Amino acid sequence: MRLILIGPPGAGKGTQAAFLVERFGLVTVATGDILRAARQAGTPLGLQAKEYMDRGALVPDEVVIGLVRERLSQPDTVNFLLDGFPRTVPQAEALDGLLAELGRPLDAAVLLEVPEELLIDRLTGRYTCRSCGAVYHLKDHPPLRPGVCDRCGGELYQRSDDSPETVQRRLRVYREETAPLVDYYRRRGILRTVDGTGTVAEVTDRILAVLGAAPR
Ligand code: AP5
C-alpha cells in the first residue's frame, strides 16, 4: 500500500502514521523528521532547513523533492507512507512524476480535518522524544514520568516551531500552500477525508474504514 497523509500542523499525521506503518508494514518517509535529524546532526541541509523551520516557513521545494526522490528510489520503499510530503502543488507534481517512473502509484491521500482551535491546543502542548520520536501531549497523552519517554526512557522536548506565534504562521502557510492539494487529489479520485477530532483510536478507526481495511 502507498499512502500520503495530508493535514494541517497538529492534525495527528505523525501519531496516526506510527499505527498505520505497523499495521500495513509500510516504510515511513516523514520530511519534517528527516529535516529535524539533519538539523540535529548539523549537516549543510540541516543548517539550510533550520532558517525556514524556525520561522514556520516551508523549506524550498527543490530541497525537499530531492530528499524524497532519493529515499523513494531505494528498493525498500515499494510500500510507503508519506507524512508531511507533498506540501505544495509543485511537490505533488514531482511526486507523480517520480512514482510514474518507478511504477508505484499512490493508493490513497488521507486528509485529516481538525478545527484550528484544537490544532493550536495540540501543538502548544506537544512533547516529542529526542531519541525515538514518540509524541506526547501535556493534557491528552502525558508520559508516565514528566519529561521522560515511556517507550525508551529518552528526554522529551518541545519543538522550537511549536511556540504560539510560529504555530499561527504554520497554519497560514498550510492554508495558502498546502490546502490546494485537497482539490489536486480529489480530482485524481484518491482523496479520503477523515474527521481528525476525537481520541487517537477513534481517528485510527475512521482511517481504517476509509481505506476499506479490517477494524483494529
Ligand atoms: P512537520 O514535522 O511535517 O510538521 P507539521 O506538518 O507541521 O505537522 P506536525 O508534526 O506539527 O503535526 P502532526 O500532524 O504530525 O501532529 P502530531 O501527530 O505530532 O514539518 C515541520 C517543518 O518542516 C515545516 O514547518 C517545514 O518548515 C518543514 N517541512 C517538512 N516537510 C516539508 C515539505 N514537504 N516541504 C517544505 N517544508 C517542509 O500530533 C500533534 C499533537 O496532538 C501531539 O501532542 C499528539 O499527541 C496530539 N494528538 C494527535 N492526535 C490526537 C488526538 N486524536 N487527540 C488528542 N491529541 C492528539
Side-chain angles (χ1 to χ4, degrees):
M1 182 182 290
R2 289 177 284 272
L3 293 180
I4 63 176
L5 281 183
I6 311 176
K13 301 181 295 297
T15 302
Q16 296 299 330
F19 173 84
L20 295 170
V21 297
E22 286 253 318
R23 167 69 187 264
F24 296 112
L26 310 176
V27 173
T28 324
V29 180
T31 42
D33 290 347
I34 296 172
L35 294 168
R36 276 185 291 278
R39 280 179 64 158
Q40 210 171 341
T43 65
L45 166 69
L47 295 176
Q48 190 189 0
K50 179 180 185 320
E51 185 207 328
Y52 296 94
M53 295 171 85
D54 284 348
R55 286 192 277 125
L58 295 183
V59 174
D61 284 340
E62 61 275 17
V63 174
V64 189
I65 290 169
L67 280 179
V68 173
R69 169 174 282 278
E70 191 184 313
R71 187 65 190 91
L72 290 188
S73 301
Q74 290 165 13
D76 66 323
T77 45
V78 173
N79 292 305
F80 58 76
L81 181 151
L82 293 178
D83 166 4
F85 183 94
R87 248 177 158 100
T88 62
V89 171
Q91 290 182 16
E93 289 167 347
L95 178 65
D96 279 349
L98 173 63
L99 295 180
E101 262 173 50
L102 296 170
R104 298 176 188 169
L106 284 175
D107 293 299
V110 176
L111 167 68
L112 295 178
E113 286 189 320
V114 178
E116 278 203 10
E117 322 79 76
L118 192 52
L119 294 172
I120 293 166
D121 183 61
R122 284 186 183 178
L123 290 172
T124 51
R126 169 169 61 185
Y127 282 82
T128 307
C129 176
R130 226 179 258 292
S131 308
C132 73
V135 174
Y136 298 85
H137 188 276
L138 214 53
K139 283 184 297 185
D140 300 325
H141 175 39
L144 296 172
R145 281 192 296 150
V148 181
C149 178
D150 296 347
R151 194 157 73 179
C152 75
E155 179 200 356
L156 301 184
Y157 77 104
Q158 206 162 15
R159 271 171 46 175
S160 57
D161 58 352
D162 279 347
S163 67
E165 310 74 49
T166 312
V167 164
Q168 290 295 348
R169 171 82 193 267
R170 288 163 62 202
L171 290 172
R172 184 157 54 79
V173 168
Y174 176 81
R175 286 193 296 271
E176 291 171 0
E177 302 195 46
T178 308
L181 292 182
V182 173
D183 271 344
Y184 183 93
Y185 287 111
R186 185 178 288 126
R187 282 198 300 273
R188 277 160 181 69
I190 59 167
L191 185 75
R192 306 284 177 267
T193 303
V194 168
D195 174 2
T197 64
T199 65
V200 171
E202 284 166 348
V203 178
T204 306
D205 288 343
R206 289 181 204 130
I207 295 176
L208 292 176
V210 299
L211 294 177
R216 275 178 304 128

